[in-house]
Amino acid sequence: DRLMITIRVTEDLDVLKRAIGDIGARHIPFATVVALTRTAKAGKDDLREAMVREIDRPKDYTLNSVRVRPATKANPQAEISLKEFGAGIAPAKYLRPQIQGGPRSQKRFERALQAAGLLPAGWYAVPASGAPFDAYGNVPGRFHTQILSALRASSDPMQNRTARSIKRRGRRLAEFFVLAARRGKLPPGIYQRYRFAMGNAVRPVFVFSRTPPTYQKRLSFYETIQLTVRNRFPAEFVKAFEQQIDKYGR
């Protein structure tokens, strides 16, 4: 399902036409279209503000994902939606759990691990204490790529590291390995070997979970736009109607 709200006038415009009068009534269709479009654009701005308030450090990619389809005389309804496509994961896809709540779907990273036989079917890879996080609280995409390359699990064979490349580049690249089953206190997951002054150690970067991560509903997508429509459309209609009267007369 698309994450979209359609704004339309459901009341009988004939009642409004009779109240305004036959002469001024000719401006109602155009004023309605203008008011719907202006209301939708206001809804876009309000939704962006809600994202800033309700989502933890949203990226510009997320903030710029709100789309408006203006109303026209042929189709007197405006739409507010979230971008369905993009250079990376579509905002409509990753924002859905924030809007609706509930378990998230599997990510491309997890599907690649499953295709390589490293993650059991239907399981999830959850960031652990050893994973890096960017300024927005997300694991950077390049870290996923680095892991898939080291584990030779990338769908792009050119990205997979070979034994020859590892030997050529020495130990500068971090070494990752998978624990398919619990070993002592270490749960199944992806671990990273690293060196420090006292010797070598490992740290978990992802742990494997049979239970999907569950999101709490955070982004008031529908509620924000519905409030905008209630607060803005009547005033926008009156403004657009009066502008038509001033320009063309009754």
Side-chain angles (χ1 to χ4, degrees):
D1 297 341
R2 291 183 62 194
L3 288 174
M4 177 187 69
I5 286 185
T6 301
I7 307 173
R8 60 172 66 91
V9 178
T10 56
E11 289 79 8
D12 187 356
L13 291 181
D14 289 337
V15 176
L16 185 57
K17 290 177 181 178
R18 288 195 295 270
I20 293 175
D22 292 337
I23 299 177
R26 67 190 178 95
H27 298 306
I28 289 179
F30 183 80
T32 300
V33 167
V34 171
L36 287 170
T37 299
R38 289 175 178 172
T39 300
K41 291 180 178 179
K44 173 182 178 178
D45 293 338
D46 290 345
L47 184 56
R48 284 170 56 93
E49 292 179 4
M51 288 177 173
V52 173
R53 290 194 311 270
E54 300 170 358
I55 299 177
D56 183 24
R57 294 165 289 180
K59 295 182 179 181
D60 289 342
Y61 181 66
T62 298
L63 296 176
N64 295 331
S65 67
V66 187
R67 295 288 183 265
V68 169
R69 187 183 65 78
T72 64
K73 283 188 176 182
N75 186 21
Q77 58 184 27
E79 291 180 357
I80 304 174
S81 62
L82 294 179
K83 195 174 181 181
E84 297 282 336
F85 305 97
I89 302 174
K93 184 174 182 179
Y94 65 73
L95 284 175
R96 187 179 301 277
Q98 305 278 352
I99 295 171
Q100 299 177 343
R104 71 160 172 82
S105 59
Q106 285 193 323
K107 296 182 177 180
R108 187 181 308 168
F109 175 65
E110 292 160 331
R111 294 194 296 270
L113 291 172
Q114 288 179 356
L118 301 175
L119 179 69
W123 284 48
Y124 297 80
V126 182
S129 58
F133 294 90
D134 61 20
Y136 302 97
N138 303 313
V139 177
R142 63 180 180 274
F143 188 67
H144 291 105
T145 301
Q146 184 182 354
I147 291 175
L148 294 177
S149 174
L151 297 176
R152 304 182 69 179
S154 175
S155 58
D156 181 358
M158 297 299 293
Q159 291 184 349
N160 288 329
R161 288 167 57 192
T162 64
R164 188 175 182 179
S165 68
I166 293 172
K167 183 177 181 180
R168 183 175 64 249
R169 300 181 68 175
R171 296 295 179 178
R172 289 179 298 160
L173 287 176
E175 294 183 358
F176 298 94
F177 65 94
V178 172
L179 280 184
R182 176 176 288 275
R183 183 178 300 174
K185 294 183 178 180
L186 300 180
I190 301 173
Y191 290 80
Q192 180 182 20
R193 296 187 184 93
Y194 67 100
R195 293 180 178 180
F196 65 108
M198 302 298 293
N200 299 328
V202 299
R203 56 189 167 204
V205 290
F206 285 92
V207 294
F208 296 162
S209 172
R210 190 192 303 267
T211 304
T214 301
Y215 291 97
Q216 296 290 331
K217 179 179 176 180
R218 289 179 179 164
L219 178 58
S220 54
F221 176 77
Y222 298 104
E223 297 83 354
T224 296
I225 297 174
Q226 289 167 353
L227 182 61
T228 301
V229 173
R230 287 198 299 269
N231 291 340
R232 293 293 294 268
F233 180 77
E236 292 293 355
F237 176 82
V238 171
K239 179 181 177 181
F241 183 80
E242 290 178 345
Q243 287 173 340
Q244 285 296 101
I245 294 295
D246 292 341
K247 188 172 182 179
Y248 298 105
R250 290 181 173 272

